[in-house]
């Protein structure tokens, strides 16, 4: 009887499995690209892509310092170094700083500290430890979240606009001015909808009191912010470069635009040294999760080294070729190829016993294959959004041959400048891994040395303790009085663990936030606000009443949160990796009307002070017949 029952059970299971197979196959057919190789589809589901955007400190006035994720020391801020989750910034007394995340600007006033709790494709989450910031959110895409967390509340920006947020050093008060846009505050079991044209004052920690009144006049800090906005609004380079490519405004006045019959609009830098070449005047650092990342010395050297391609125009001078005008082009740590192989030897230039590293800039027709793990869709987007010359078919062909099938080693791919001695830069291993300046120690490679060279997939050098910050970095002139990790922070979204961090981000649950003078209660990292028990509705002393939601988590799905317990935010790439795209979708074209571009909100913005940066090298002759970018116009008075 037992054997017969077991046989019946086995036959039943087999029958159920056979019935389920067609449904499984149909589901796979729906999720798989009909023209996609099965191996490529499998690879698509295995990779977790890195974020397609970073932050960048583009302006420094006074003493601004930063603390990389996982480090204890504060250093003088390095303009052009990409910033990501876990990095901290501090503007000391009488200092200012400006950060960009694509088209969005974040300005820091005196004695202000922020931390990047999360920066990925769908979420920007900042901790404002103390001080004042101004945020100009030029575009908020559907399904994206932009959150600013202070010691007593979490502020979610609900629309593009301009916002000013101030938090006092003791963490008991936050003041929010909504110049334009809208947002929502969550804290102490309550949530409040904030409208434009108002100033909102929130006091307390475990219980919030608030006041709302008409927004005050612009002060000196906001006047400066408006002038910075006007600089971007009037940028001539915005005609050729997407506003989501940070640094387009830096190109004005530092070069000239011209039209090339092969590549279209090309930007030619001015004031560079004789013999200048892309990726030669700067240094390498290791920034997770991308790995080896290039940091250019020139103050304009962000956009041309992380987006687009470089071309040696008519064999005479270098020009930067931007990608198409699309929304959210994909950031790359360095658009270069590495040279190596048994036949390549620059040991004579270094001396006996030294190993060298060499690289070259990718041309407009070259396909970029990241050295880090990435999905086929990511490889498509990082190429298609950064060059107008190649198409998705070419990208797929190179990817399938080189990565999936391994039929064509990188050395057999025809890269434009791999064998061009003018383009190739070589340094010693110590210079590369030690984040040392390349310009003072590079070795010129001869055409004979490049005859037997081949392109390698990536540099085989692993980072060391000295690879994470520039060798020339100096100790900070000013540091925050209290470590950011020691300050309580109310978070609505649950930030991830920084990729490169050895530390844990701490946050206090607003429902148990400590009173002033009491030790902070911290958890391993910020948690969602628990608003299941809402207090009685309260309104500010104004006719423009703030709407109170009894449950701040009611609209959680609008900000990309999902999960059985409501405390998990979906990965930015989870959907794409579990369900590979049916077909390649071209990127959305960028238009100025899709961004918050308008005249200054005040009427007396002053011309911004010049940024502090290193001087560019000596100039080389500029090419003839070009269109000069006009200088930034002065805001109307």
């Amino acid at each position: 009887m037992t054997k017969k029952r077991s046989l019946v059970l086995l036959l039943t299971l087999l029958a159920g499995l056979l019935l389920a197979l067609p449904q499984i196959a149909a589901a796979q057919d729906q999720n798989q690209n009909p023209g996609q190789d099965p191996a490529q589809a499998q690879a698509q589901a295995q990779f977790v892509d890195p974020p397609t955007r970073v932050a960048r400190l583009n302006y420094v006035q006074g003493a601004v310092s930063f603390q990389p994720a996982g480090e204890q020391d504060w250093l003088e801020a390095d303009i052009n170094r990409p910033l990501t989750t876990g990095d901290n910034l501090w503007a000391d007394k009488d200092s200012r700083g400006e950060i960009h995340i694509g088209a969005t600007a974040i300005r820091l006033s005196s004695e202000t500290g922020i931390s990047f709790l999360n920066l990925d494709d769908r979420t920007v989450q900042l901790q404002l430890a103390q001080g004042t910031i101004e945020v100009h959110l030029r575009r908020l895409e559907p399904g994206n979240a932009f959150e600013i967390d202070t010691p007593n509340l979490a502020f979610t920006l609900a629309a593009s606009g301009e916002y000013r947020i101030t938090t006092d050093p003791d963490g008991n008060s936050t003041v929010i001015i909504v110049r334009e846009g809208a947002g929502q505050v969550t804290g102490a079991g309550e949530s409040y909808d904030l409208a434009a044209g108002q100033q909102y004052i929130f006091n307390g920690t475990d219980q919030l009191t608030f006041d709302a009144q008409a927004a005050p006049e612009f002060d000196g800090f906001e006047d400066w912010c408006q002038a910075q906005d006007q600089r971007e609004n009037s940028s001539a380079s915005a005609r050729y470069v997407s506003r989501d490519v940070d640094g387009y405004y830096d190109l004005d006045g530092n070069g000239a635009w011209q039209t090339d019959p092969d590549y279209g609009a090309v930007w030619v830098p001015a004031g560079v040294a004789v013999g200048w070449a892309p990726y030669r005047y700067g240094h390498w650092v290791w920034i997770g999760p991308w790995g080896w990342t290039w940091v250019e010395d020139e103050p304009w050297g962000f956009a041309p080294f992380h987006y687009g391609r470089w071309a040696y125009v008519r064999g005479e001078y270098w020009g930067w070729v931007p990608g198409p005008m699309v929304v959210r082009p994909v950031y790359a740590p360095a658009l270069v190829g590495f040279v190596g192989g048994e036949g390549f030897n620059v040991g004579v230039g270094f001396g006996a016993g030294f190993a060298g590293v060499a690289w070259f800039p990718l041309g407009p027709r070259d396909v970029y294959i990241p050295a880090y793990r990435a999905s086929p869709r990511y490889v498509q987007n990082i190429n298609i959004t950064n060059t107008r010359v190649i198409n998705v078919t070419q990208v797929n062909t190179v990817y399938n041959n080189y990565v999936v099938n391994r039929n064509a080693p990188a050395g057999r791919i025809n890269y434009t400048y791999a064998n061009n001695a003018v383009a190739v830069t070589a340094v010693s291993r110590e210079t590369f891994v030690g984040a040392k300046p390349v310009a003072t120690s590079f070795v010129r490679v001869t055409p004979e040395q490049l005859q037997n060279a081949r392109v390698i997939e990536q540099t085989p050098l692993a980072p060391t303790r000295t690879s994470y910050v520039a060798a020339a970095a100096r100790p900070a002139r000013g540091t925050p009085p209290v470590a950011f990790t020691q300050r309580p922070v109310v978070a609505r979204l649950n930030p991830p663990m920084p990729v490169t961090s050895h530390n844990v981000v701490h946050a206090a649950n607003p429902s148990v936030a400590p009173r002033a003078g009491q030790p902070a209660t911290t958890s391993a990292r910020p948690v969602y606000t628990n608003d299941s028990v809402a207090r009685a509705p309260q309104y500010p002393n104004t006719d423009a009443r703030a709407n109170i939601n009894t449950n701040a988590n009611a609209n959680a799905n609008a900000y990309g949160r999902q999960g059985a317990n409501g405390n998990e935010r979906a990965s930015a790439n989870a959907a794409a990796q579990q369900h590979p795209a049916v077909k390649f979708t071209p990127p959305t074209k960028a238009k100025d009307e899709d961004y918050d571009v308008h005249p200054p909100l005040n009427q007396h913005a002053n011309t911004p002070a010049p940024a502090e940066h290193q001087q560019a090298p000596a100039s080389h002759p500029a090419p003839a017949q070009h269109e000069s970018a006009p200088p930034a116009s002065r805001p109307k008075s």
Side-chain angles (χ1 to χ4, degrees), residues 336-338 369-372 402-403 406 410-411 454-459:
V336 302
F338 288 95
I369 302 296
Y372 45 90
Y402 175 48
V403 177
R406 293 288 180 178
R454 62 178 177 84
V455 179
I456 57 177
E457 179 178 352
Q458 60 183 334
T459 173

Side-chain angles (χ1 to χ4, degrees), residues 264-279:
V266 177
W267 180 80
V268 180
V272 296
V274 176
W276 183 92
Y279 302 97

Side-chain angles (χ1 to χ4, degrees), residues 49 98-99 162 165 174 237 256 276 293 304 438 446 458 510 587 592 623:
D49 294 331
E98 182 180 53
I99 305 161
E162 299 184 36
I165 305 96
T174 298
S237 297
W276 183 92
T293 301
V438 169
T446 65
Q458 60 183 334
D592 250 19

Side-chain angles (χ1 to χ4, degrees), residues 419-556:
N419 300 108
N420 189 330
V422 175
V424 175
T425 300
V427 297
S428 68
R429 177 190 180 279
E430 287 71 20
T431 296
F432 187 94
V433 175
K436 297 179 180 180
V438 169
T440 57
S441 57
F442 76 92
V443 174
R444 294 193 180 276
V445 180
T446 65
E448 292 74 21
Q449 289 173 312
L450 291 173
Q451 286 181 355
N452 297 321
R454 62 178 177 84
V455 179
I456 57 177
E457 179 178 352
Q458 60 183 334
T459 173
L461 301 179
T464 65
R465 184 67 181 83
T466 61
S467 302
Y468 302 103
V469 296
R474 293 176 290 184
R477 288 181 283 168
T479 59
V482 179
F484 294 170
T485 54
Q486 299 304 314
R487 290 188 178 275
V489 53
V490 175
R492 181 174 181 177
L493 297 176
N494 200 13
M497 191 71 68
V499 174
T500 58
S501 176
H502 304 291
N503 298 334
V504 175
V505 179
H506 293 156
N509 189 312
S511 62
V512 293
R515 295 179 181 272
Q518 294 181 347
T521 302
T522 59
S523 60
R525 53 179 179 163
V527 295
Y528 288 107
T529 299
N530 183 357
D531 291 319
S532 58
V533 181
R535 294 179 173 84
Q538 305 175 53
Y539 294 93
N541 57 350
T542 176
D543 292 335
R545 295 184 174 183
N547 295 325
I548 310 282
N549 293 334
T550 57
N551 188 349
N553 294 327
N555 297 324

